[in-house]
Amino acid sequence: MERSFKKEVEALRLGAGATFRGEGILAVTKALLQSGVSYVGGYQGAPVSHLLDVLIEAEDIIGELGVHLETCTNEAAAAAMLGASINYPLRGVVTWKSIVGTNVASDALSNLASPGVMGGALIIVGEDYGEGASVIQERTHAFAMKSSIWLLDPRPDLPAIVHLVEKAFELSEASHAPVMMELRIRACHVTGAFTAKDNVAPAHSRLKPIAGPPRFSYERLAHPPATFAQERLKVEERLPAAQAFIRTQRLNEFFAGDLADIGVIVQGGLYNSMLRALERVGLADIFGASRVPLYVLNVVYPLVSEELTQFCTGKRAVLVVEEGHPDYIEQQINVLLRRHDLQTRILGKGCLPATGEYTAEALLSGLAAFLEQAGPEGLALAPIVDTVGRVTVARRAAAAALGDLPPRPPNFCTGCPERPVFSALKLMQREIGPTHISADIGCHSFATFAPFSMGNSILGYGMSLASAAGVAPNLARRPIAVMGDGGFWHNGVITGVASNLFNGGDGVLLIMQNGYTSATGQQFMPSSTTNRRGTAPGMSIEATLKAMGVRWLRTVRSYSVSVMLATLKDAMRSAERGLKVIIADGECQLARQRRLRVEERQKLERGERLIKTRYGVDDEICTGDHSCIRLSGCPSLTLKPNPDPLRSDPVASVIESCVGCGLCGEVAHAAVLCPSFYRAELIRNPNGWDRVLHRLRRGIIKRIAGTATAA
Ligand code: SF4
Ligand code: SF4
């Protein structure tokens, strides 16, 4: 696991009246325990990976309450878990990264939402949208609307988040529908405090099991003809029940302001940024007092028409702050107001950008445009326009002063075992020509950036081999699908391997076996050497592939560039048709270094001998052509001025962060580059033999140096 929450999880034991301090994601976990959940599950992914990580670290605490924890193999499995709430009075929660995880889970979600739920069912999605996002920019909102799942978007404030998590279960039970909560990156990491309540042991759990299954009822199955009646229930009963609950429990918030002829309707998750924009132009303070009335949608679906009409009545114009495309909320508001014959002007997209994150800058410009168009009574616009203009000028000046900053794309970690595989792939293509490469999701997707710039498509997590199926028959050369071990278990084994074998396909599958789902923070998976309990899951990719009937299968150590190069050439040139799988085996270097750091410190404390390998470049031999950098891209491999006054080209240099993975030497050997690289061993706590050897070497070097000087 990327980060340890050992200290923080102790706060999950806090009882009523104690003050809980911490990050938003940790507060959500505490709120779940205060809500009496019976089961939790999920699949990791930013920005909610930590939710699952915290739950794993808190397994003792949640175990005492009888709460079951499932680390699912994908999001579909997590969504299907909520099926327990369909027929039983069990509260359950699952989590994943959206939009991609919601795509994977959508089949189970439809089948959950149609019969509806008895016990509260909550789905916490990490809304990975905006400048820091790593997925396709789409909105979870569409899924909520199509399946009649209520969507919460809490104001980033710990008491508000905790309150909404608790209310989410009640909303789900009151309306018999599942509820989603979108947690934006900022809501996950906002820090603050709230007054804790006691944790609640679930009414039913593995400590207090339910005696037997429910009475058989066909109406509770998502299966025709029951589905026809369920569609009616969703619209005619569950939706009004949800709207009534939202209204009576005041899940949305109103903040009054003296500029009563205008207003802002804002998604809960954007409240803090909106308040900041108002504060910049003197229309609010940072404590929440705003001159512009605000209607904060902590529930973004469904909208409550009574609240909306109440807010808009008597206003000449309202700004709708809704991030992303399409403008579902703005469209619905326009329709609802027309139905109530309210003529309030709705402004939103147009003042604000149609796409992209609503940063402080975007909101500030949008607010100024809105105020200019709305023209509120009693407000002098000139100072506001002036402030926005000054901010814009200052930003432009700052950008000009900084100049064109070099782009800094994400890259493999120093010593990553996946980098050498792409070095080999690069060398292979140099020799036998370029081929179609189906990239996939995971750390290996960093190869799409320089210096590798590899990958002709990315179609989803674990989808690379499946996406190569349409390419392979139409290309002269075999395509290569790259997949991580995480992607393999997520769905690549079925959508890719089984499908390829079933269809008698051809092609090459390169599986990066690094032992963890590394890109999401090093969680365990079926082929990890241990699981979260420290026992071996006993599942192997190699054994699975053999059992499925893969005949051409090689496992190669990731760092052995020459062997990998030969194996790749073999796979590409083989006359034998059929799927060829190469497993590139090498532990995630980040995880390895974290593990080694502890072991090494303990060794040093015990006074034991410790060897650390380092690589270096001999300045005198380096020709300065930098092929090594182009072929490896390691961040520890850089340039320095040439110490030879007669040569101007900078020489390659290995810096202190080198972890001694050996790729430099391997690449130099495989690419027949140059003999500049040397390997050195740093020995701490040397033994007697090390000291003798050192004296001997020093003596020989002195003698040679002396001879050379004399000559
Ligand atoms: S986290 Fe591990 S697998 Fe991912 S880039 Fe870093 S070393 Fe490589
Ligand atoms: S040996 Fe080379 S490739 Fe490996 S970490 Fe050191 S500089 Fe980077």
Side-chain angles (χ1 to χ4, degrees), residues 42 84 144 186 195 233 262 327 376 385 413 448 488 520 602 620 668 711:
R186 288 185 184 144
T195 306
L233 285 176
I262 58 164
D327 52 348
V385 174
C413 302
T448 55
F488 177 84
T520 52
Q602 289 167 347
E620 288 183 15

Side-chain angles (χ1 to χ4, degrees), residues 414-415 419 559 614-615 632 634-637 654-655 657-665 677:
T414 295
R419 180 179 285 113
Y559 295 102
R614 287 279 185 274
Y615 280 75
S632 102
C634 175
S636 299
L637 197 53
V654 177
I655 59 174
S657 56
C658 165
V659 295
C661 75
L663 173 60
C664 295
F677 285 91

Side-chain angles (χ1 to χ4, degrees), residues 254 257-265 293-295 304-319 333 336-346:
F254 293 92
D258 65 289
L259 297 169
D261 62 339
I262 58 164
V264 173
I265 299 176
L294 302 173
Y295 175 33
V304 179
S305 80
E306 290 89 338
E307 288 185 353
L308 195 71
T309 50
Q310 177 198 329
F311 183 75
C312 291
T313 300
K315 297 199 188 313
R316 68 169 77 189
V318 164
L319 176 69
I333 291 174
L336 284 169
L337 292 191
R338 294 299 80 78
R339 281 188 187 149
H340 287 83
D341 201 20
L342 274 175
Q343 301 312 314
T344 307
R345 200 170 159 208
I346 296 299

Side-chain angles (χ1 to χ4, degrees), residues 267-583:
Q267 288 171 300
L270 296 181
Y271 168 82
N272 290 359
S273 312
M274 190 63 223
L275 192 72
R276 173 72 173 139
L278 288 164
E279 189 260 341
R280 290 297 296 270
V281 294
L283 292 177
D285 66 24
I286 54 166
F287 303 104
S290 168
R291 291 195 61 197
V292 180
L294 302 173
Y295 175 33
V296 181
L297 296 175
N298 291 314
V299 185
V300 286
Y301 180 76
L303 296 181
V304 179
S305 80
E306 290 89 338
E307 288 185 353
L308 195 71
T309 50
Q310 177 198 329
F311 183 75
C312 291
T313 300
K315 297 199 188 313
R316 68 169 77 189
V318 164
L319 176 69
V320 176
V321 181
E322 178 187 11
E323 192 178 62
H325 172 84
D327 52 348
Y328 298 115
I329 299 174
E330 192 177 329
Q331 288 182 35
Q332 281 179 50
I333 291 174
N334 270 308
V335 170
L336 284 169
L337 292 191
R338 294 299 80 78
R339 281 188 187 149
H340 287 83
D341 201 20
L342 274 175
Q343 301 312 314
T344 307
R345 200 170 159 208
I346 296 299
L347 296 161
K349 303 288 180 200
C351 291
L352 289 156
T355 59
E357 183 174 335
Y358 281 0
T359 57
E361 195 174 5
L363 286 172
L364 195 61
S365 310
L367 176 65
F370 165 70
L371 292 172
E372 277 185 304
Q373 290 192 46
E377 276 174 22
L379 183 70
L381 289 178
I384 292 172
V385 174
D386 186 46
T387 306
V388 176
R390 269 189 288 113
V391 171
T392 312
V393 169
R395 280 188 174 274
R396 283 199 193 125
L402 286 169
D404 280 340
L405 292 174
R408 190 170 165 262
N411 196 352
F412 294 105
C413 302
T414 295
C416 173
E418 299 180 359
R419 180 179 285 113
V421 183
F422 289 101
S423 299
L425 207 46
K426 205 165 182 179
L427 291 169
M428 184 277 284
Q429 293 198 86
R430 257 192 203 174
E431 207 172 315
I432 67 175
T435 190
H436 178 98
I437 294 183
S438 304
D440 208 301
I441 306 298
C443 290
H444 40 87
S445 64
F446 293 149
T448 55
F449 298 110
F452 299 111
S453 305
M454 282 182 194
N456 303 97
S457 61
I458 295 186
L459 264 291
Y461 193 22
M463 299 285 192
S464 59
L465 183 58
S467 75
V471 176
N474 300 303
L475 284 189
R477 211 168 273 136
R478 278 185 182 125
I480 297 179
V482 181
M483 191 185 292
D485 40 7
F488 177 84
W489 293 115
H490 181 264
N491 77 25
V493 60
I494 301 297
T495 52
V497 179
S499 186
N500 184 292
L501 296 173
F502 181 56
N503 287 285
D506 200 357
V508 179
L509 172 62
L510 189 51
I511 299 177
M512 305 289 184
Q513 180 168 266
N514 64 33
Y516 312 84
T517 55
S518 297
T520 52
Q522 291 143 22
Q523 290 82 10
F524 296 122
M525 60 176 160
S527 53
S528 296
T529 45
T530 59
N531 59 19
R532 68 178 200 263
R533 295 185 195 90
T535 51
M539 280 178 266
S540 117
I541 294 178
E542 207 174 69
T544 304
L545 291 171
K546 279 184 188 156
M548 290 175 82
V550 173
R551 289 196 308 270
W552 200 107
L553 177 61
R554 313 275 188 275
T555 299
V556 180
R557 188 180 157 268
S558 300
Y559 295 102
S560 309
V561 178
S562 315
V563 183
M564 183 60 76
L565 176 59
T567 312
L568 279 166
K569 286 196 285 193
D570 201 11
M572 291 298 286
R573 286 175 172 154
S574 168
E576 185 185 328
R577 265 193 62 81
L579 181 63
K580 287 142 197 79
V581 185
I582 304 170
I583 299 176

